[in-house]
């Protein structure tokens, strides 16, 4: 591993992630309110994130987005908080890291409404949309990250999407402690298991695992340009 990005999902986890990043040379973090927690977002949180975003270890705003699978926050609130955090990322000159589940159409609608504020990079985290939708998000010069799900037996849709992503817009991730790749599925996930994701991506793309690692590492550093 060359580096790790620890991702926030609410105020407390974002602050904890920054504390971890500050304590370790090759760890960075993002700040964000996940759609599950959208109904807890407030101006105090946004102002705190705006202040902290200038820290060298803060590389993005996320996870933000929409989740209509669990609907843990009302959908109208999710959309409002999503748009508000896109504006925050614009103000802080940082890329956004998107969590989208069963809501790709509405996600695109919000992004289109906020198009002029999506000017510092877009990442579709744990992308689970279709290959056709890849082309829709390409209009925003988006990057796409794939994790352990591409190693699962029922991964046909994920693999089709993986193959559709331009090589210079492809990232790998673990989403640990979740989405543990085969052969450790069902157990705790760890950052080191990203190597298993790279091996599977290499098989699908007809590349060596080493080339996949180099390409995706370079893409990561281009998107999250505070990483050195």
């Amino acid at each position: 591993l060359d580096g790790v990005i620890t991702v926030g999902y609410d105020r407390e986890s974002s602050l904890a992630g920054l504390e971890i990043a500050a304590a370790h040379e090759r760890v960075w973090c993002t700040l964000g309110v996940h759609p599950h927690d959208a109904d807890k977002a407030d101006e105090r949180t946004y102002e705190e994130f705006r202040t902290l975003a200038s820290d060298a270890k803060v590389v993005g705003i996320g996870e933000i987005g929409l989740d209509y699978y669990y609907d843990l926050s009302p959908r109208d609130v999710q959309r409002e908080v999503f748009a508000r955090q896109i504006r925050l990322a614009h103000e802080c000159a940082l890329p956004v890291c998107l969590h989208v589940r069963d809501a790709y159409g509405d996600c695109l609608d919000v992004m289109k409404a906020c198009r002029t504020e999506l000017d510092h990079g877009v990442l579709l985290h744990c992308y689970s949309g279709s290959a056709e939708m890849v082309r829709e998000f390409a209009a925003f010069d988006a990057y796409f990250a794939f994790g352990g799900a591409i190693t699962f037996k029922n991964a046909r849709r994920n693999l089709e999407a993986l193959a559709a992503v331009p090589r210079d817009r492809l990232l790998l991730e673990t989403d640990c402690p979740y989405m543990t790749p085969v052969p450790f599925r069902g157990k705790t996930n760890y950052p080191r298991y990203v190597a298993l994701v790279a091996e599977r991506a290499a098989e699908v793309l007809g590349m060596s695992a080493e080339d996949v690692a180099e390409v995706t590492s370079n893409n990561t550093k281009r998107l999250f340009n505070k990483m050195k």
Side-chain angles (χ1 to χ4, degrees):
L1 288 172
D2 184 53
V4 172
I5 300 174
T6 181
V7 178
Y9 59 87
D10 61 6
R11 177 181 178 273
E12 289 72 23
S13 63
S14 295
L15 297 181
L18 179 55
E19 185 176 346
I20 292 169
H24 300 278
E25 182 181 359
R26 302 302 298 172
V27 178
W28 290 266
C29 70
T30 68
L31 313 172
V33 178
H34 191 284
H36 288 347
D37 300 285
D39 59 354
K40 302 178 183 68
D42 56 27
E43 285 301 319
R44 175 193 171 208
T45 299
Y46 301 141
E47 287 301 321
E48 192 165 17
F49 285 174
R50 183 182 290 104
T51 300
L52 296 174
S54 61
D55 191 289
K57 285 303 190 79
V58 176
V59 298
I61 299 298
E63 293 178 29
I64 67 175
L66 303 174
D67 192 312
Y68 292 176
Y69 181 81
Y70 287 107
D71 275 331
L72 296 184
S73 289
R75 294 184 179 186
D76 59 334
V77 174
Q78 290 188 47
R79 291 190 290 269
E80 178 184 348
V81 171
F82 180 22
R84 180 66 183 82
Q85 292 186 97
I86 288 175
R87 192 179 324 128
L88 175 65
H90 169 71
E91 294 164 355
C92 299
L94 290 173
V96 292
C97 308
L98 307 187
H99 169 102
V100 187
R101 190 167 185 186
D102 289 0
Y104 282 99
D106 276 11
C107 177
L108 278 169
D109 288 344
V110 173
M111 292 173 67
K112 289 173 183 176
C114 300
R115 183 182 293 273
T116 59
E117 295 169 315
L118 287 166
D119 51 354
H120 293 283
V122 175
L123 173 66
L124 276 297
H125 141 77
C126 280
Y127 183 69
S128 61
S130 66
E132 291 74 20
M133 197 63 77
V134 167
R135 290 181 272 276
E136 295 282 344
F137 285 105
F140 298 90
D141 202 22
Y143 291 73
F144 303 80
F146 293 84
I150 67 170
T151 71
F152 300 167
K153 288 182 179 179
N154 60 346
R156 180 184 60 81
R157 178 183 170 95
N158 302 82
L159 299 182
E160 289 174 351
L162 171 64
V165 171
R167 299 293 187 270
D168 66 345
R169 291 296 180 268
L170 175 63
L171 274 67
L172 302 181
E173 62 174 304
T174 56
D175 196 36
C176 61
Y178 313 109
M179 205 178 294
T180 312
V182 173
F184 301 106
R185 188 176 184 183
K187 300 179 181 179
T188 301
N189 201 1
Y190 296 97
R192 65 180 179 269
Y193 291 165
V194 74
L196 298 170
V197 180
E199 289 171 5
R200 182 62 178 133
E203 293 174 4
V204 174
L205 300 175
M207 301 169 64
S208 69
E210 293 76 15
D211 285 345
V212 167
E214 180 178 5
V215 166
T216 56
S217 294
N218 289 340
N219 293 345
T220 300
K221 292 172 184 176
R222 185 188 319 116
L223 174 62
F224 300 109
N225 56 33
K226 285 187 180 180
M227 298 176 70
K228 306 295 184 184

